[in-house]
Amino acid sequence: MNYQFLKNIIDAEVHRFRTISEEEWNYKATPEKWSKKEIIGHLCDSAFTNIRRFVVTQYKENENIIYDQNIWVKAQNYQNIPVAEVINLWKVLNYQIVHIVENIPDEAMQRTCDTTKTEFQKRFTLEFIIKDYVDHLQHHLEAI
């Protein structure tokens, strides 16, 4: 499949990110809410997790691959990393995702992965997980 549209989104967003001030990246409405920088950090964490899903599901069905987004953002302390580094990490991870998904064999797209934390063995196809990843990415980019 061709996921060049995702690379175009990444490039356009990196360009747009340059127009956002450091103050805007760091602003937190409340201590519990994520800043724009932490949202990008969350998208990095999502990319880390989904890279694993996209690779592992090709050879091992129904693996339970999850993460706790709030713990990951806190543990990685994105708020105290220079925004340029977080953006660069996000860009590189998503370029890698494009590379991975473009190389998944068609016959692997119907293999399944368990992505649930609380429900026992709720499985999704690799095809669905990839589409869901792009939808999730776009949802958060609209919030920035």
Side-chain angles (χ1 to χ4, degrees), residues 63-87:
E63 186 76 1
N64 182 242
I65 303 174
I66 60 165
Y67 74 110
D68 187 311
Q69 61 187 19
N70 292 317
I71 290 172
W72 277 54
V73 168
K74 183 177 180 184
Q76 299 214 50
N77 195 18
Y78 289 113
Q79 190 66 11
N80 292 307
I81 297 175
V83 70
E85 290 180 25
V86 181
I87 291 168

Side-chain angles (χ1 to χ4, degrees), residues 26-35:
N26 289 315
Y27 174 76
K28 290 172 73 84
T30 69
E32 301 80 33
K33 295 247 183 210
W34 289 341
S35 66

Side-chain angles (χ1 to χ4, degrees), residues 28-91:
K28 290 172 73 84
T30 69
E32 301 80 33
K33 295 247 183 210
W34 289 341
S35 66
K36 287 178 177 11
K37 189 189 321 182
E38 289 171 315
I39 292 171
I40 292 296
H42 162 66
L43 290 174
C44 291
D45 298 340
S46 176
F48 285 126
T49 302
N50 280 286
I51 285 171
R52 184 159 184 259
R53 289 173 179 158
F54 300 159
V55 171
V56 172
T57 304
Q58 291 183 60
Y59 67 87
K60 186 173 184 182
E61 284 216 69
N62 304 320
E63 186 76 1
N64 182 242
I65 303 174
I66 60 165
Y67 74 110
D68 187 311
Q69 61 187 19
N70 292 317
I71 290 172
W72 277 54
V73 168
K74 183 177 180 184
Q76 299 214 50
N77 195 18
Y78 289 113
Q79 190 66 11
N80 292 307
I81 297 175
V83 70
E85 290 180 25
V86 181
I87 291 168
N88 191 50
L89 178 61
W90 176 79
K91 176 183 172 183

Side-chain angles (χ1 to χ4, degrees), residues 14 31 39 50 56 93 95 98 119 124 131:
V14 168
I39 292 171
N50 280 286
V56 172
L93 287 168
Y95 274 11
V98 170
E119 298 175 45
F124 299 97
K131 181 187 179 315

Side-chain angles (χ1 to χ4, degrees), residues 88-124:
N88 191 50
L89 178 61
W90 176 79
K91 176 183 172 183
V92 170
L93 287 168
N94 280 280
Y95 274 11
Q96 182 63 20
I97 283 176
V98 170
H99 175 74
I100 292 166
V101 298
E102 285 188 333
N103 287 284
I104 296 173
D106 289 342
E107 63 272 11
M109 294 301 259
Q110 295 311 306
R111 292 193 181 128
T112 58
C113 180
D114 178 358
T115 63
T116 59
K117 287 183 260 195
T118 56
E119 298 175 45
F120 181 69
Q121 293 189 341
K122 187 167 183 182
R123 299 172 181 142
F124 299 97

Side-chain angles (χ1 to χ4, degrees), residues 8-21 24-25 36 39-40 43 83 87 90 137-144:
N8 294 338
I9 291 170
I10 297 161
D11 292 339
E13 290 299 319
V14 168
H15 182 72
R16 182 175 71 92
F17 291 164
R18 292 185 189 123
T19 69
I20 300 172
S21 72
E24 288 177 89
W25 279 112
K36 287 178 177 11
I39 292 171
I40 292 296
L43 290 174
V83 70
I87 291 168
W90 176 79
L137 177 69
Q138 289 180 314
H139 164 77
H140 282 295
L141 291 173
E142 287 172 12
I144 295 177

